[in-house]
Amino acid sequence: MAGCDRDELREVSAAVLAVTAHLSVREVLQTIVSAARRLLGARYAALGIPDGNGSFREFLADGLTDEQWRAIGPIPRQHGLLGVMLSDPHPVRSADIRTHPRFEGYPAAHPEMVDFLGMPIVDGDEILGELFLADKEDGPFDADDEELLKLLAAHAAIAIVNARLYERGRELSIVQERQRIARELHDAVTQKLFSLRLTAEAAAALVSRDPDRAAAELDTVRRLAAEATAELKSIVVGLRPVDLAGDGLAAALRRQAELLDRVHAARVTFATDAVPRLAAAREEAAYRVAQEALHNALRHADAGHIAVELRRAGPGVVLTVADDGRGFDAGRVGGAHRRRLGLASMRERARAAGGRLLIRSRPGEGTTVTMEVPGG
């Protein structure tokens, strides 16, 4: 590769190894964009994944603070030059992107960027994504930079394809596990429940004419119910979410948010920092609380945006699920409405995990569910 010295080759090698070390698609994407910025000495880097409709399904950035990213806000649906590149497999290099004929300006609060290098991540004829770099620290990007980024993009394409295959394999494993559980439920529990129902009906028929026999049948009902409960517990013990067992709470919540964002009209986002791993029971409790809160926001709140956050809090974590939906009077909710929202279940899960649950909501002002989970 012309113009590439040993230090650069070493950097490329390190970047490629870092990318291939991850199997989660999201982790692969974040590693790629961070490696590209560091490798080419750029101030800013971003990576966009097309949604097939001329926009971005995902958009990650490196070099922006959390405050800057929040101030910029949602990704616009029209993208000017970036949108053109989603369907054009050719790189774009410009000493001043603002002079490009397809440049349409920056969103409010967006940093003013000048020199620019955009590179497609391609697998055959498919554009898997686009890498965008801006403001090189020692001058505008040159042909060597373009060649270097092309090399990284080629390896990135392989890593993205492999990560997608891995996640599809995990999804298949989940389906197979569900089928196994369904078979066990049918074989081990359904028969006992059927027997229990028949015995209960017999007891009901005998109550008036033969109380002693009815009492004996009720003893059988109690025994069958206990056996069915034991069978269910033995099956449920093995039901820790597959996502948690492998990659931990943060990765599991990210996948859940990404899935719900794709299939629901509401926008579902996820943010996290370097959170610690927790005991299995505590991670599962937080995951189930997040699921319940997301279900409530999607089904009952008529929310337009649901934000899920997982942040470090000393040795533990704080989980937050906040929506901008219709809200409710948290001080007066009770009875059927409390059961419908699963509030008691969420509080019990938090208590069993040694944590604390806080629910803030007011009519017309959305709902925020916060769960504090201790470390260990």
Side-chain angles (χ1 to χ4, degrees), residues 78-103:
Q78 302 297 324
H79 306 284
L81 176 61
L82 301 192
V84 171
M85 293 180 64
L86 286 174
S87 57
D88 187 342
H90 299 96
V92 173
R93 177 161 51 94
S94 174
D96 189 344
I97 191 61
R98 298 169 299 181
T99 65
H100 194 282
R102 298 303 300 268
F103 179 74

Side-chain angles (χ1 to χ4, degrees), residues 6-78:
R6 288 185 178 182
D7 288 339
E8 286 177 322
L9 285 173
R10 195 175 295 113
E11 284 290 318
V12 172
S13 176
V16 170
L17 288 172
V19 169
T20 55
H22 297 286
L23 290 176
S24 157
V25 172
R26 181 78 184 200
E27 288 176 324
V28 166
L29 298 180
Q30 190 62 63
T31 303
I32 291 169
V33 71
S34 299
R37 185 173 80 90
R38 184 183 68 253
L39 188 61
L40 275 78
R43 185 176 181 185
Y44 304 107
L47 192 157
I49 302 296
D51 64 0
N53 298 310
S55 188
F56 293 107
R57 177 172 63 83
E58 242 179 315
F59 198 90
L60 294 81
D62 195 56
L64 295 170
T65 65
D66 290 342
E67 291 74 18
Q68 286 176 307
W69 191 241
R70 282 194 291 268
I72 292 171
I75 302 298
R77 305 306 299 176
Q78 302 297 324

Side-chain angles (χ1 to χ4, degrees), residues 13 21 97 120 126 128-129 137 169 223 231 243 296 303 330 339 353:
S13 176
I97 191 61
E126 180 186 2
L128 301 176
E137 293 172 357
R223 177 178 59 79
E231 292 281 3
D243 282 348
N296 288 339
R339 289 193 297 275

Side-chain angles (χ1 to χ4, degrees), residues 301-326:
D302 192 27
H305 180 209
I306 308 165
V308 183
E309 291 192 4
L310 187 68
R311 303 295 184 188
R312 175 186 285 272
V317 299
V318 175
L319 166 72
T320 306
V321 181
D323 69 68
D324 60 0
R326 60 169 59 98

Side-chain angles (χ1 to χ4, degrees), residues 180-350:
R180 181 191 67 79
I181 292 165
R183 288 194 301 270
E184 289 191 12
L185 284 171
H186 182 272
D187 296 341
V189 180
T190 304
Q191 297 304 318
K192 282 188 172 63
L193 292 177
F194 180 68
S195 298
L196 191 152
R197 190 188 72 181
L198 291 180
T199 306
E201 290 174 353
L206 290 168
V207 165
S208 58
R209 66 174 187 269
D210 194 341
D212 290 339
R213 281 188 61 193
E217 295 291 343
L218 287 173
D219 283 338
T220 303
V221 167
R222 281 192 290 269
R223 177 178 59 79
L224 289 170
E227 290 177 1
T229 300
E231 292 281 3
L232 281 171
K233 284 182 178 178
S234 69
I235 293 171
V236 169
V237 164
L239 290 186
R240 186 168 187 248
V242 175
D243 282 348
L244 288 176
D247 298 329
L249 181 59
L253 288 174
R254 184 183 300 283
R255 276 190 281 271
Q256 181 80 351
E258 290 173 352
L259 173 64
L260 295 176
D261 186 55
R262 289 197 297 270
V263 301
H264 288 277
R267 182 167 178 256
V268 183
T269 60
F270 176 75
T272 188
D273 48 28
V275 296
R277 290 299 301 263
L278 307 177
R282 287 176 173 168
E283 288 199 342
E284 182 171 354
Y287 184 75
R288 298 304 187 193
V289 167
Q291 282 185 316
E292 188 71 48
L294 284 163
H295 170 82
N296 288 339
L298 290 167
R299 185 170 182 180
H300 305 302
D302 192 27
H305 180 209
I306 308 165
V308 183
E309 291 192 4
L310 187 68
R311 303 295 184 188
R312 175 186 285 272
V317 299
V318 175
L319 166 72
T320 306
V321 181
D323 69 68
D324 60 0
R326 60 169 59 98
F328 59 92
D329 189 339
R332 300 182 61 183
V333 66
H337 190 56
R338 179 180 293 273
R339 289 193 297 275
R340 181 172 67 125
L341 295 178
L343 303 185
S345 172
M346 286 193 283
R347 292 190 192 282
E348 176 56 28
R349 287 188 186 278

